[in-house]
Structure formats: C-alpha cells, structure tokens
Amino acid sequence: MYKILIADDHPLFREAIHNVISDGFPESEVMETADLDSALALTHEHDDLDLILLDLNMPGMHGLNGLINLRNEAPTVPVVIVSAEQDKQVVLQAITYGAVGFITKSSPRAQMTDAIEQILNGNVYLPSDIIRTQKASPRRHHEEASIPPELLQALTRKQLLVLERMTKGESNKQIAYNLDIAETTVKAHVSAILRKLNVHNRVQAILSASDIDFTAYLRR
C-alpha cells in the first residue's frame, strides 16, 4: 500500500513504529536504517518512497541540518520528524525547513497512526499539545514579525476562528469538524488568512499569531 522508511538509531523504537505502520497500514513495505548516510543512500535506491520517518538525534543528523540535507537530496519525498524533542520552536523550525509533520515519541499509538494517516493524505501534522501549551522562546519570538493589529482587523470573524484553531495545531479536517463547516471552506479561509496577513505558508501564520489574544478580536 505504502513504501515507508524509518530512520532511527534506537532498535526498540524502530520496532514500535514498524508495528504502528503494520497495524494501521497493512501491506505497506517498511524499510529501516539507523543513520543519516544510510537513509540518504536508501532514498537514492528507492525513488518511489511515500514517506520518511526521521529521528532528529541519530548519527549524522546534527539536528535540523540532517533534515535539510535529506530534503535537498530527495525533495519529492515527504519527511516527518519523529523525536523525543518537545520544544515548540524546534517543531516549527522543522516544518519551516521542509518537514511535513512532527510526531513526538511519547505520543500514544493511536495518535501516531492518526498523524501518519494525515501526512499520507497530504496534510501537515503538528502536535497540538505542544503548539497549544508552550510559547516560543522570547528571543525567537522577537525575531518573528508579529501581526499588525490592522491586518487582524481585516479578518472576518470566521477567519479569526480558523486562525485561532490553526495556532492550536489543528488540521483542516479537525477545524472543519470543530467549527461545523466543510473542509473545502476551511481551505478557502486558510488561503484568505495567508493572503490578508501577508505570509507565505501556514507555519508563518502560526508563528506570528501564536501569542495573540483572540478573545479581544472576537468580541467586536
């Protein structure tokens, strides 16, 4: 069904994630490797990979540099970071550098399956608990351009509600369910939000809006 590469230097975790894939996506072909060089070699040998599950801290990675190298070598293969890291800024940086998702190793099995399914369906997956509860580091926050109030005022009430849920790490499907609107409507709202806020992608919108007090704008 799918062809997936697990790149992680911990045999027990590789086995665990292999079992998640086998149970959730039967008949998938799963390959495993324990370092970045081997992962790069396998991506050259198998140009039909559907997904790479990449550990941030295995040999050769040097943090997010390994992700950048992998994206440069195999730009068409979706990469999701699977890590014990739970810092919000690392999560957002990984997405900025080209990952299509970030799964924490402490995630329950069902949540991992759901995350992989969302990513295989073409969505970006962010761990909502991290996005919702932690602030970006103060240094990084000041580096990011905050949204001028007049741009927020330009958003409709529905667009504000959608943006608020985006900052909580919700997917379009989750937003559609929670706001009781069609997923196509959510996509239209997201496009309008990016345009009005003058940002290029979803992650930039989340970064710039993560500290906004939405209740102040929704009261109007």
Side-chain angles (χ1 to χ4, degrees):
M1 183 172 155
Y2 294 108
K3 194 169 187 177
I4 298 173
L5 171 62
I6 303 169
D8 194 295
D9 63 334
H10 292 284
L12 283 175
F13 184 76
R14 286 203 307 272
E15 181 182 350
I17 198 76
H18 194 145
N19 289 338
V20 168
I21 295 167
S22 297
D23 291 346
F25 312 92
E27 300 178 21
S28 292
E29 180 182 348
V30 181
M31 294 176 288
E32 298 181 16
T33 184
D35 59 72
L36 182 62
D37 287 343
S38 301
L40 289 168
L42 282 169
T43 59
H44 287 301
E45 292 172 27
H46 303 272
D47 58 2
D48 57 343
L49 281 170
D50 292 298
L51 185 65
I52 300 172
L53 297 164
L54 185 68
D55 178 30
L56 264 187
N57 298 312
M58 69 177 181
M61 282 294 290
H62 306 295
L64 289 167
N65 287 326
L67 168 63
I68 295 168
N69 289 339
L70 191 56
R71 295 293 299 136
N72 287 338
E73 292 294 323
T76 62
V77 183
V79 179
V80 57
I81 297 297
V82 184
S83 175
E85 181 66 63
Q86 298 203 31
D87 182 79
K88 177 179 177 179
Q89 203 55 54
V90 174
V91 174
L92 293 173
Q93 281 182 329
I95 304 297
T96 303
Y97 292 158
V100 296
F102 196 107
I103 301 173
T104 56
K105 289 187 174 181
S106 59
S107 300
R109 188 185 181 94
Q111 189 176 324
M112 282 192 179
T113 303
D114 179 60
I116 294 170
E117 183 176 15
Q118 283 192 42
I119 292 160
L120 287 170
N121 286 335
N123 296 313
V124 172
Y125 177 84
L126 293 169
S128 58
D129 51 340
I130 294 175
I131 299 301
R132 185 184 302 122
T133 60
Q134 294 188 350
K135 303 289 186 187
S137 67
R139 181 183 62 80
R140 181 71 183 176
H141 176 66
H142 290 304
E143 288 172 6
E144 296 293 339
S146 57
I147 302 174
E150 61 270 19
L151 293 185
L152 283 170
Q153 296 284 1
L155 298 180
T156 66
R157 180 180 175 80
K158 190 67 81 173
Q159 287 165 358
L160 281 168
L161 290 169
V162 169
L163 178 59
E164 181 180 24
R165 295 203 167 269
M166 285 166 60
T167 65
K168 294 177 180 178
E170 293 185 10
S171 66
N172 286 353
K173 186 175 182 179
Q174 289 171 312
I175 294 171
Y177 176 80
N178 288 323
L179 296 182
D180 195 25
I181 55 179
E183 192 171 349
T184 51
T185 305
V186 175
K187 289 178 181 177
H189 282 319
V190 172
S191 296
I193 289 165
L194 300 187
R195 186 179 69 254
K196 288 182 178 181
L197 297 186
N198 197 27
V199 294
H200 299 294
N201 56 49
R202 193 184 190 96
V203 175
Q204 286 183 330
I206 292 169
L207 275 170
S208 56
S210 58
D211 291 335
I212 289 170
D213 178 10
F214 282 94
T215 54
Y217 289 93
L218 289 167
R219 269 195 221 107
R220 67 187 194 210

